[in-house]
Amino acid sequence: MNSKYVEMNAVRKEFRFFRLEDVTLELEPGQIMGFVGPNGAGKSTTLRLLMGLIEADAGNVRVLGHEMPRAQRIAKRDIGFVTDDMQLFPHATLDWHMRFAASVYPRWDERYATALVDRFGLRRAQLVKGLSHGERVKAVLLLALARRPRLLVLDEPTAGLDPVARHEVLHELTEVMLDEDRAIIFSSHNTVDVERISDRITFIDRGRIVESSDKETFLERWRRLQLQMRPDASLPELSQVVECKVNGQLATLTTNHFTPELADRLRDAGASILEIQRMSLEEIFVANVMHHRKVRAQ
Amino acid sequence: MHSGIQLSQTDARPMYLQIMEQIRRRIALGDWPPGREIPSIRALAAELRISVITVKRAYEELESEGVIVTRHGKGSCVADKVALSTDLQEAELEEHLVAAANIARMLQLSEDELIARLRRARRNLPKK
């Protein structure tokens, strides 16, 4: 019995100008994964591989225990996929779309759908072509949520939403997690949203996974240290230091593996530690990507 | 069950610490008496619109401090004996003193100057 909802193992996919390489990902039930990367990093390609919309050149993809893309028809009964280019029929109403979804998906929850129309401030009788961008995003999300799929795959669900709409969407996503048999993977470059609601975080850059870990581990391991150096002192080479900027007697050091022993070693080397700062997910993301680009260039 | 817990985005402390502090405060004030059931991890995460892992971490740390007890499959409740209001304030005082000592060193204040400043701050407190 396989309990993982998403398993990607050493996946490779080549395009003419872009290559996704060695992508390995895992998601367990009861978790939200935030998938973060700069534009063009390969987020959408990865999600499309996961949905079986494109086939990997190498490696394997399993979703809800089904091999993709071979078993995509069965797997997709229990997956809700939301992307920006999702087409709704412009000349049909939201109500028409809801009745259509209800006829296709046996687990469609009409009461929940009705509640969502209300909570999202939508109108059933309105034609899709009259919806604003935010309303359209919420309509697509509603259609996916009311099916109550075990896995939600969301490509940039909060992009272009105003703060109120973003808040509504994040609320519904965290509400889904009341059920520990469900899981969500969503891509975003809004690190504030990701930091808030994700249990696991995966960074991707230039077609490769930079790091994947649970959120608390990320936030605990990364620290920025403000040091004051004795004039004769110099800092030792430490593997857990990803960046060090020295300015006169002051140094700012970024570490991806903070431990009390690291602080001791710095003190032994003649530095006094003025401050140890936590980093936001955004700061960790940028430092991490920059560090990996440097390492890969070497 | 609504917890009444509020997280602040401008608070520089991580969210799990904010949750721990607010739960401790509720217990210290007597709003949450010993033995009282507290929201489940998933319910609190949904209410606060944050990840399950963050609430889990707060609960695990509160449990290791002996503030709450988690029974498998039955959720969590306030521990029978919690001696926390003084512990909590002690820890907070210690934290502020260390921070003050640190800043004083950066400002190159002598020990006497720092103590004099502390005395002055005490004198300037509003009368009870």
Side-chain angles (χ1 to χ4, degrees):
Chain A
M1 191 53 203
N2 193 330
S3 63
K4 302 252 165 40
Y5 276 13
V6 173
E7 280 181 287
M8 292 182 94
N9 192 14
V11 167
R12 184 165 58 82
K13 179 73 187 170
E14 283 208 47
F15 299 95
R16 201 163 150 222
F17 297 110
F18 179 72
R19 186 172 59 200
L20 205 61
E21 209 169 355
D22 200 20
V23 170
T24 297
L25 270 187
E26 276 186 7
L27 179 63
E28 287 173 24
Q31 294 188 328
I32 300 186
M33 178 187 279
F35 194 38
V36 188
N39 288 324
K43 298 190 294 288
S44 297
T45 306
T46 306
L47 296 184
R48 287 165 63 81
L49 279 159
L50 199 146
M51 289 302 297
L53 298 172
I54 44 178
E55 189 167 5
D57 298 331
N60 34 51
V61 180
R62 289 180 81 84
V63 179
L64 297 171
H66 300 288
E67 200 182 306
M68 301 296 259
R70 200 177 49 81
Q72 57 172 301
R73 281 189 51 165
I74 312 172
K76 279 179 183 168
R77 286 185 206 151
D78 229 354
I79 310 176
F81 182 47
V82 173
T83 122
D84 204 24
D85 54 16
M86 193 77 92
Q87 289 299 312
L88 297 173
F89 295 103
H91 296 286
T93 61
L94 174 59
D95 186 61
W96 181 88
H97 284 88
M98 287 168 70
R99 279 185 287 122
F100 178 73
S103 71
V104 178
Y105 300 106
R107 292 235 303 269
W108 179 262
D109 184 338
E110 184 59 32
R111 263 182 56 192
Y112 180 34
T114 307
L116 282 175
V117 170
D118 205 43
R119 274 185 256 169
F120 283 167
L122 299 169
R123 294 155 298 272
R124 286 182 100 112
Q126 190 166 7
L127 292 177
V128 164
K129 66 171 184 172
L131 299 179
S132 69
H133 168 75
E135 289 169 334
R136 200 170 316 209
V137 171
K138 287 192 282 187
V140 175
L141 206 58
L142 176 157
L143 294 169
L145 285 168
R147 288 170 44 203
R148 294 199 178 276
R150 275 197 291 158
L151 176 65
L152 281 161
V153 179
L154 313 173
D155 196 2
E156 304 270 358
T158 58
L161 294 185
D162 64 65
V164 175
R166 250 183 53 220
H167 189 78
E168 291 167 337
V169 167
L170 295 182
H171 175 65
E172 292 311 322
L173 298 187
T174 53
E175 199 76 351
V176 166
M177 299 322 292
L178 280 170
D179 183 345
E180 54 193 88
D181 291 326
R182 301 181 68 187
I184 299 175
I185 175 165
F186 78 108
S187 68
S188 180
H189 21 228
N190 186 327
T191 50
V192 176
D193 291 349
V194 175
E195 179 167 353
R196 191 170 177 104
I197 72 165
S198 304
D199 300 297
R200 290 193 67 80
I201 293 170
T202 299
F203 289 151
I204 184 170
D205 184 47
R206 297 181 175 170
R208 278 171 179 264
I209 303 286
V210 170
E211 201 173 355
S212 184
S213 159
D214 76 69
K215 177 180 65 181
E216 294 296 322
T217 304
F218 259 121
L219 297 178
E220 277 316 304
R221 288 209 323 236
W222 285 78
R223 287 287 186 279
R224 200 181 294 117
L225 280 71
Q226 305 289 347
L227 309 176
Q228 188 180 350
M229 306 290 297
R230 273 202 316 257
D232 57 326
S234 71
L235 286 174
E237 281 283 321
L238 295 164
S239 63
Q240 59 271 63
V241 172
V242 298
E243 199 191 11
C244 186
K245 283 187 190 143
V246 182
N247 193 336
Q249 276 191 60
L250 294 178
T252 304
L253 183 148
T254 307
T255 171
N256 61 1
H257 220 283
F258 180 73
T259 54
E261 291 75 48
L262 175 65
D264 290 342
R265 288 195 61 183
L266 292 168
R267 285 192 198 97
D268 291 346
S272 53
I273 297 174
L274 303 177
E275 210 176 340
I276 301 173
Q277 299 165 332
R278 291 179 168 273
M279 295 168 72
S280 70
L281 190 69
E282 176 147 329
E283 294 169 316
I284 295 173
F285 170 54
V286 173
N288 208 341
V289 164
M290 289 323 218
H291 175 59
H292 271 257
R293 285 185 182 176
K294 207 169 70 191
V295 170
R296 278 175 70 181
Q298 276 164 10
Chain B
M1 179 168 39
H2 189 71
S3 71
I5 291 173
Q6 287 285 336
L7 298 181
S8 162
Q9 280 190 6
T10 51
D11 193 324
R13 290 169 311 165
M15 287 189 288
Y16 83 92
L17 282 180
Q18 293 187 47
I19 296 170
M20 286 175 68
E21 189 186 278
Q22 294 202 33
I23 291 179
R24 284 202 209 99
R25 188 178 298 153
R26 257 173 194 72
I27 296 172
L29 290 171
D31 285 350
W32 288 8
R36 183 193 197 271
E37 199 182 308
I38 65 173
S40 75
I41 292 173
R42 285 188 185 269
L44 188 59
E47 182 195 317
L48 299 176
R49 281 147 222 197
I50 60 171
S51 54
V52 169
I53 196 174
T54 301
V55 180
K56 203 172 186 176
R57 171 144 192 224
Y59 278 30
E60 279 168 3
E61 304 232 351
L62 285 171
E63 193 174 357
S64 69
E65 288 178 5
V67 176
I68 64 169
V69 181
T70 301
R71 280 162 307 180
H72 206 70
K74 284 195 173 168
S76 306
C77 60
V78 179
D80 283 337
K81 257 190 265 161
V82 208
L84 108 142
S85 54
T86 50
D87 284 7
L88 178 63
Q89 284 159 351
E90 278 287 334
E92 199 174 344
L93 176 63
E94 192 58 36
E95 202 176 298
H96 282 102
L97 287 173
V98 170
N102 228 325
I103 297 170
R105 188 169 60 181
M106 277 192 258
L107 294 173
Q108 296 176 333
L109 290 186
S110 71
E111 199 172 297
D112 288 344
E113 281 170 309
L114 175 62
I115 292 168
R117 296 276 279 267
L118 182 63
R119 287 213 180 91
R120 202 192 316 154
R122 260 176 71 97
R123 276 199 306 273
N124 290 341
L125 283 179
K127 295 266 182 308
K128 270 213 169 169

